[in-house]
Amino acid sequence: MAYRFKTKLKWSDVTPKADYLNRRKLMAGAGAMVLGAGAARAFSSRVEVEPEQEPAKIVRAKLKTVPSAFSTDEKPNSREEISSYNNFYEFGTSKSDPSRNAGGLMTDPWSITIDGLVDKPGSYDLAELVQGIELEERIYRLRCVEAWSMVVPWAGFELGRILERVGVQSGAKYVAFETLVRPSEMPGQRSRVIDWPYREGLRLDEAMHPLTILATGIYGETIPNQCGAPIRLVVPWKYGFKSIKSIVRISLTDKQPKTTWNEIGPNEYGFYANVNPEVDHPRWSQASERRIGDGVFAKRRDTLPFNGYGEEVASLYKGMDLRKFY
Ligand code: MTE
């Protein structure tokens, strides 16, 4: 039987007085990533998207966060960099498409279906689901499989908090996630570049790890649409494609779920996809990375095992051959 929390809150009710700004002012030109030849079929194919009809308004509201011991002391990228250089194929395949095309996505009301092996399955209004959960600022490195990286000051909370609320049953071994499908507001979905919805998944112990968060903000404000509004996953020790955006479904399962990039290119994108400088992508090296904002002549940075989070997470993979693409 579906379970619902009693209060009737809307997502907008839990964000303080919003200031509205024309998102055109936020836009910055961002060069398209030069990809290795054919970087997976979909990474390489351009999706032509219609330009927006009218300037969309974006709600930017302040969020209250507390600091976290898990934050890096590396310098965060600017808000501008984080919100103008994005991968979000639902809005197009070039890095500047999401900031140009995501303004029309309606993120309020927003509900998330939680189903499968849980005690309280149902369709939850986002505000009700997160009610009473304190937001933390988590400053994490983000390493994309395409060999660029950023440092992002997320506002979020541990995914485990939500899973505890809905009660994970003993047979559950994996958590599957799905992004919204709404081609009327997500112009990239009018092309079959991906078999929508975008899907991701984690093993249950990865999902319950304290580093794994759901983010609803950056820089102490509500998360911009192009970064995965109103709520996205962040798994900092894995390649960025695991960190699925604009989540509408979370399912607890006993079988490893199918995931978008692993289905597209099983020999290029593993299910686990832990950052590993010793295992190259078949078409490019993963030993180093380009930090966005470093400038074209800056030296590339060494990529760290598990993106620098090995002390916290390496034990999850004891006994596994980390050279293998699972
Ligand atoms: N989630 C959805 N739904 N669609 C996407 O195309 N791209 C992924 C991930 N989550 C993607 C997604 C990839 S490849 C990366 S690197 C990160 O989002 C990028 O996050 P950012 O744009 O906030 O830096």
Side-chain angles (χ1 to χ4, degrees):
M1 202 185 81
Y3 174 92
R4 292 191 62 85
F5 288 109
K6 282 198 197 80
T7 41
K8 254 282 147 238
L9 268 179
K10 273 180 63 204
W11 181 228
S12 53
D13 297 334
V14 294
T15 48
K17 193 163 170 284
D19 52 308
Y20 296 84
L21 57 140
N22 187 322
R23 81 184 171 77
R24 283 193 197 281
K25 286 192 197 133
L26 282 176
M27 272 176 48
M33 172 89 178
V34 180
L35 295 165
R41 283 179 291 284
F43 266 130
S44 63
S45 49
R46 256 318 252 120
V47 176
E48 292 307 326
V49 293
E50 284 168 28
E52 65 177 277
Q53 303 303 305
E54 57 186 72
K57 297 268 175 80
I58 281 195
V59 180
R60 256 170 82 170
K62 291 256 174 282
L63 300 172
K64 200 165 153 271
T65 60
V66 294
S68 162
F70 288 119
S71 287
T72 170
D73 52 15
E74 281 181 63
K75 185 173 174 278
N77 281 86
S78 68
R79 189 182 208 286
E80 193 67 42
E81 287 161 347
I82 295 166
S83 58
S84 62
Y85 188 90
N86 299 99
N87 274 333
F88 201 169
Y89 276 34
E90 284 82 345
F91 297 102
T93 55
S94 89
K95 297 292 181 280
S96 57
D97 283 338
S99 58
R100 239 179 313 120
N101 299 322
L105 177 66
M106 297 298 295
T107 57
D108 184 19
W110 193 270
S111 53
I112 301 184
T113 298
I114 305 187
D115 58 9
L117 299 169
V118 290
D119 295 335
K120 301 165 190 168
S123 170
Y124 292 91
D125 184 82
L126 179 56
E128 295 168 356
L129 190 64
V130 304
Q131 200 185 3
I133 299 182
E134 188 171 60
L135 289 179
E136 291 177 35
E137 181 178 67
R138 298 269 183 123
I139 308 173
Y140 282 166
R141 289 176 292 277
L142 173 83
R143 169 59 156 84
C144 178
V145 75
E146 299 165 326
W148 54 265
S149 65
M150 288 199 205
V151 177
V152 184
W154 302 109
F157 54 87
E158 291 172 19
L159 168 63
R161 300 287 302 274
I162 296 292
L163 298 181
E164 280 159 14
R165 282 193 169 185
V166 296
V168 176
Q169 295 181 349
S170 61
K173 294 195 178 76
Y174 295 91
V175 187
F177 304 86
E178 284 179 18
T179 294
L180 177 72
V181 179
R182 196 184 285 159
S184 59
E185 292 172 12
M186 300 176 122
Q189 286 182 337
R190 295 173 208 155
S191 144
R192 299 292 296 168
V193 64
I194 278 175
D195 181 16
W196 314 108
Y198 192 100
R199 294 186 179 85
E200 257 313 330
L202 296 172
R203 217 171 53 192
L204 184 60
D205 57 347
E206 298 177 320
M208 296 300 287
H209 193 280
L211 281 176
T212 303
I213 59 166
L214 289 172
T216 58
I218 60 164
Y219 269 108
E221 292 182 333
T222 42
I223 194 164
N225 285 0
Q226 60 268 35
C227 296
I231 189 160
R232 65 153 321 152
L233 186 68
V234 181
V235 194
W237 70 94
K238 293 179 178 285
Y239 290 119
F241 66 84
K242 297 294 293 181
S243 293
I244 183 172
K245 298 178 172 184
S246 305
I247 296 168
V248 291
R249 186 168 185 188
I250 301 177
S251 311
L252 278 289
T253 66
D254 57 357
K255 289 186 190 64
Q256 185 175 306
K258 291 190 171 174
T259 56
T260 291
W261 284 104
N262 185 238
E263 289 272 294
I264 291 173
N267 302 319
E268 306 194 346
Y269 310 101
F271 173 81
Y272 283 89
N274 295 319
V275 174
N276 190 342
E278 287 173 17
V279 178
D280 287 339
H281 185 279
R283 285 176 286 109
W284 60 84
S285 165
Q286 295 291 27
S288 68
E289 64 202 53
R290 179 174 67 94
R291 177 67 51 86
I292 300 303
D294 267 358
V296 274
F297 299 114
K299 203 176 156 292
R300 292 173 70 84
R301 298 173 187 232
D302 289 341
T303 289
L304 302 171
F306 298 105
N307 200 21
Y309 298 96
E311 214 171 285
E312 290 91 348
V313 301
S315 61
L316 296 177
Y317 308 102
K318 229 177 254 157
M320 281 175 72
D321 178 0
L322 296 177
R323 300 198 65 84
K324 227 173 116 181
F325 270 49
Y326 286 92

